Amino acid sequence: QVTLKESGPVLVKPTETLTLTCTVSGFSLSNARMGVSWIRQPPGKALEWLAHIFSNDEKSYSTSLKSRLTISKDTSKSQVVLTMTNMDPVDTATYYCARIRMRDSYGTISYYYYYMDVWGKGTTVTVSS
Amino acid sequence: QTAVTQEPSFSVSPGGTVTLTCGLSSGSVSTSYYPSWYHQTPGQAPRTLIYSTNTRSSGVPDRFSGSILGNKAALTITGAQADDESDYYCVLYMGSGIWVFGGGTKLTVL
């Protein structure tokens, strides 16, 4: 069974750095067919994709938040870590990690998917002094 | 950055059919964007409905279908039920490891 579980502080102060951990089970972070993304959702608002890490350790970030985000992984611990610097009350949100199904390969044929197939339950972070 | 557009809200009668769309602020959506659809009820994590334009995720009933309609991706619900009342999000893959969510559609069944 594939699961993802987010963990981190419930409350952070403005200007502080947020560190969130996504612990996965049921698959390996070295699996080239998979990746892990972070997504957030402010209260009452839409989902927003933040960052992604591929099995080969390549990373990608939301254009609007790129300067504040860092994503990394520890394959041996099955963990993906997201840090966000200079937190502000507008960053108050539920933060989700999700597995991204990238592709399946059958011999020389590959099928590409690029979607979130399994989600964590999310962790709520409030930014307040 | 190009924005992904969705209807903010939609309503459908029980048993009715509704089509939600997912467009781009600039350009047309095609299968090359690998459109996917998710639904979310209050307090819950999103759940996957459709991926790669028109493939239903495991366990999703066949009254949910995905397609490209004109220059947009579309999610059609046929025979809407009360528990389909939810927020629906589309996601487009922009390439280079970048995904963009639409603003979501709040579907009311009444």
Side-chain angles (χ1 to χ4, degrees):
Chain A
Q1 182 186 5
V2 173
T3 64
L4 300 92
K5 186 173 183 178
E6 306 87 349
S7 59
V10 174
L11 179 67
V12 298
K13 291 181 168 54
T15 75
E16 288 186 339
T17 293
L18 171 68
T19 299
L20 296 173
T21 300
C22 175
T23 302
V24 310
S25 64
F27 73 102
S28 171
L29 295 174
S30 63
N31 187 329
R33 297 178 299 150
M34 311 292 178
V36 173
S37 276
W38 283 95
I39 298 109
R40 73 177 179 178
Q41 185 173 38
K45 295 189 176 182
L47 296 160
E48 178 184 19
W49 177 82
L50 300 176
H52 180 77
I53 191 161
F54 293 83
S55 60
N56 64 359
D57 215 39
E58 286 189 25
K59 297 136 186 172
S60 55
Y61 298 98
S62 164
T63 304
S64 60
L65 292 168
K66 186 173 185 176
S67 64
R68 298 173 55 206
L69 296 173
T70 302
I71 191 170
S72 62
K73 66 180 173 77
D74 185 328
T75 301
S76 65
K77 293 183 178 179
S78 294
Q79 292 181 334
V80 176
V81 175
L82 181 75
T83 62
M84 180 180 291
T85 60
N86 194 25
M87 292 292 285
D88 183 273
V90 300
D91 297 313
T92 294
T94 297
Y95 288 77
Y96 297 97
C97 59
R99 187 178 78 167
I100 301 282
R101 186 180 175 195
M102 310 287 288
R103 71 174 193 269
D104 284 332
S105 296
Y106 304 94
T108 59
I109 299 174
S110 291
Y111 297 92
Y112 294 90
Y113 305 113
Y114 298 118
Y115 76 105
M116 296 109 193
D117 70 337
V118 184
W119 294 71
K121 293 184 178 181
T123 186
T124 298
V125 179
T126 300
V127 184
S128 175
S129 54
Chain B
Q1 182 173 318
T2 302
V4 176
T5 61
Q6 295 185 249
E7 300 87 356
S9 62
F10 231 117
S11 63
V12 62
S13 300
T17 296
V18 63
T19 297
L20 312 181
T21 67
C22 174
L24 286 168
S25 59
S26 176
S28 300
V29 177
S30 68
T31 57
S32 299
Y33 285 91
Y34 300 90
S36 53
W37 292 87
Y38 307 83
H39 69 151
Q40 184 185 37
T41 51
Q44 300 297 313
R47 297 186 67 179
T48 309
L49 286 171
I50 299 285
Y51 63 94
S52 294
T53 306
N54 56 12
T55 304
R56 277 185 296 275
S57 186
S58 177
V60 174
D62 60 6
R63 54 200 183 77
F64 291 90
S65 62
S67 63
I68 299 291
L69 287 180
N71 62 350
K72 296 182 179 181
L75 173 71
T76 299
I77 307 172
T78 305
Q81 300 179 1
D83 60 2
D84 294 335
E85 191 160 289
S86 177
D87 293 328
Y88 290 82
Y89 292 93
C90 72
V91 177
L92 300 181
Y93 180 60
M94 300 305 196
S96 302
I98 304 292
W99 285 263
V100 179
F101 278 85
T105 298
K106 184 176 184 63
L107 181 66
T108 302
V109 181
L110 52 72

